[in-house]
Amino acid sequence: MFKKAVVLSASLFLAACSAPKYTVNPIQENEQRKEITIVKDDATRAIFLDTMQEWCLDNAKRCTLVPDGSHPNPSELTLIYVSRWSWDLSTYISDSRINAYKDERKVGEVEFKAPDTINTDKWGDDRKRILMMLDLLFGKQTATEAHSKIESGEI
């Protein structure tokens, strides 16, 4: 009986350690622009692009959308994104990434991962999590602040 309790406690502890998390390398302020090009990812759910465009409006950025597979002007700040949803009683973002490029080099990136564990923090508000990705990418929030919001259930 004691062994079962130890194994169950250890597995719950490990699952709790597997909470969703953000990793970020923000765009430096001197690389940020008011004009942004977004390369649409046809394989990603529409909510992702819709939320990115909402963020642009809320942050006074002029975002130009180009089709999937396009090669935008290299001198423009360009965002390329991809996201995948998983299902476990309901859908949730399991992993997402936004890469920022300018002058043919990566100038920033942000990633969100929600491990497929019993940790209930994997379910959250998709829109808020995408908005947080952009805030992180543009240096408006820190990863520590984002993780606190996940733990509190805010996002």
Side-chain angles (χ1 to χ4, degrees):
M1 182 66 166
F2 177 71
K3 286 183 183 180
K4 287 182 182 179
V6 170
V7 170
L8 181 59
S9 296
S11 64
L12 290 174
F13 174 75
L14 290 174
C17 294
S18 301
K21 70 178 192 174
Y22 291 96
T23 54
V24 63
N25 180 16
I27 302 168
Q28 298 301 309
E29 201 162 319
N30 64 325
E31 298 287 354
Q32 294 187 26
R33 301 289 183 266
K34 290 280 187 195
E35 296 81 26
I36 301 170
T37 300
I38 300 174
V39 179
K40 181 181 180 189
D41 181 49
D42 291 336
T44 296
R45 290 183 178 194
I47 188 174
F48 205 96
L49 178 59
D50 293 345
T51 304
M52 289 179 75
Q53 291 177 312
E54 173 189 333
W55 184 91
C56 288
L57 288 172
D58 291 346
N59 288 275
K61 304 283 187 187
R62 195 181 98 234
C63 292
T64 303
L65 184 62
V66 296
D68 198 356
S70 295
H71 298 286
N73 183 337
S75 66
E76 297 172 359
L77 180 60
T78 302
L79 302 182
I80 299 174
Y81 67 94
V82 64
S83 187
R84 186 173 60 87
W85 274 254
S86 290
W87 187 88
D88 186 1
L89 302 177
S90 75
T91 59
Y92 63 95
I93 297 175
S94 59
D95 59 81
S96 297
R97 174 183 295 270
I98 303 172
N99 292 320
Y101 296 92
K102 181 156 183 340
D103 297 325
E104 299 184 9
R105 62 188 169 80
K106 188 185 287 189
V107 295
E109 66 183 321
V110 62
E111 183 176 41
F112 174 80
K113 285 191 180 251
D116 187 18
T117 64
I118 62 172
N119 188 319
T120 58
D121 287 339
K122 66 184 169 188
W123 296 290
D125 187 319
D126 294 342
R127 195 181 128 284
K128 287 181 180 178
R129 289 181 173 188
I130 297 163
L131 291 170
M132 179 60 73
M133 289 180 74
L134 290 159
D135 280 350
L136 289 165
L137 184 62
F138 283 85
K140 295 178 178 291
Q141 299 264 345
T142 66
T144 302
E145 292 168 322
H147 294 138
S148 293
K149 289 180 179 184
I150 288 173
E151 290 171 7
S152 72
E154 187 178 331
I155 61 174

